[in-house]
Amino acid sequence: MSERLVRKLDLVEVEQLIGWAAAEGWNPGLDDAAAFHATDPEGFIGAFVDGEMVAGIAAVAYGTGYGFIGLYISREDRRGRGHGKAVWDAGMAYLAGRTIGLDGVDEQFENYRRKGFAPAYRTIRFGGAFAGRAVDRERLSMVTPDLVPEVMAFDRRSFPEPRVGFLTRWLGPPHVACAARAEGRVTGYGVMRKCRAGWKIGGLSAVDEGTAAALVRQLAASAEGEVFIDVPAARERFMDLLLRSGLRPGFETTRMYLGEPIPLAPELFGVTTLELG
């Protein structure tokens, strides 16, 4: 076998890795690459043989104490040759000393547990044609540049570290971002993006279930086609609302952590992405 080279990926190569995710049926967003890469340009790693990428991983660092693993894929025609292990080892080395999270599919659950990851909570993807209407409420508004700092501050209630680079892009066009406000402060926000199939809402964070529901209705009303959202299984009443609105449960993942576990924040109603946490 030709010598394997493991190195960080540039933006074009991150786009290629996301294309592999689409081929696996993961339905990523159409514009994910730029926001993902901006989060941590050092955190996307690939294995190359004869100049061709054969495996890749996202091992993204947030702040000083947290990291997230995603987009862990080996090219189908190059599996079973150690390329996946090579990028995994490189990603874990890059995030060493941090609490590391991932969202694992059931088929990989035992594999991740053997690597030291412990389950924290289940996440269920809901999808379908949303039957609700937009909410005509003064406290809901589109996220404008002047509102971004407040939204970022609210995001810290449901995410363990600041993610300024990521949110700077995630909250702007072509994504649709909506915020809720009460008594002059942000009480929740949601983001929706166009994907290979339909639209995904994520993240979705709010002070209570009613605010989360209003944000979903407002966002989904502007979607063309199906809407998808990854919801922590503990949000039973919120899931009931989604069912009544025409969405149906699909595949499930398990949030797992290596290191100090991070409790599910009461404000979290929709995971931002299964790729970056």
Side-chain angles (χ1 to χ4, degrees), residues 20-184:
W20 290 2
E24 294 285 337
W26 298 358
N27 193 27
L30 297 181
D31 301 286
D32 282 357
F36 284 8
H37 189 255
T39 304
D40 180 6
E42 304 296 316
F44 294 85
I45 300 167
F48 293 79
V49 175
D50 296 330
E52 294 186 355
M53 187 163 66
V54 294
I57 197 169
V60 174
Y62 293 101
T64 59
Y66 185 52
F68 200 85
I69 293 288
L71 290 172
Y72 178 35
I73 310 173
S74 292
R75 210 171 80 184
E76 188 173 8
D77 63 332
R78 297 296 189 99
R79 291 173 182 171
R81 306 180 192 183
H83 303 314
K85 183 178 186 303
V87 296
W88 173 273
D89 290 346
M92 294 300 290
Y94 177 63
L95 297 178
R98 299 169 178 265
T99 291
I100 303 173
L102 59 80
D103 288 310
V105 296
D106 289 347
E107 292 82 356
Q108 293 297 324
F109 179 84
E110 289 301 331
N111 181 36
Y112 292 136
R113 188 149 65 174
R114 285 193 296 270
K115 295 178 185 297
F117 285 78
Y121 57 86
R122 297 282 284 175
T123 298
I124 304 170
R125 174 163 295 177
F126 282 77
F130 196 87
R133 295 182 178 180
V135 181
D136 184 16
R137 299 171 71 177
E138 291 183 358
R139 68 188 181 99
L140 293 180
S141 62
M142 303 309 294
V143 174
T144 53
D146 62 303
L147 198 56
V148 166
E150 289 184 60
V151 172
M152 287 186 179
F154 187 84
D155 183 68
R156 289 289 287 109
R157 298 172 63 161
S158 59
F159 200 82
E161 291 277 3
R163 43 179 179 174
V164 175
F166 173 78
L167 287 175
T168 297
R169 289 179 177 266
W170 203 251
L171 294 170
H175 296 177
V176 181
C178 184
R181 291 172 63 84
E183 299 179 354

Side-chain angles (χ1 to χ4, degrees), residues 5-6 106 116 121 194 202:
L5 171 66
V6 176
D106 289 347
Y121 57 86
K194 187 76 174 72

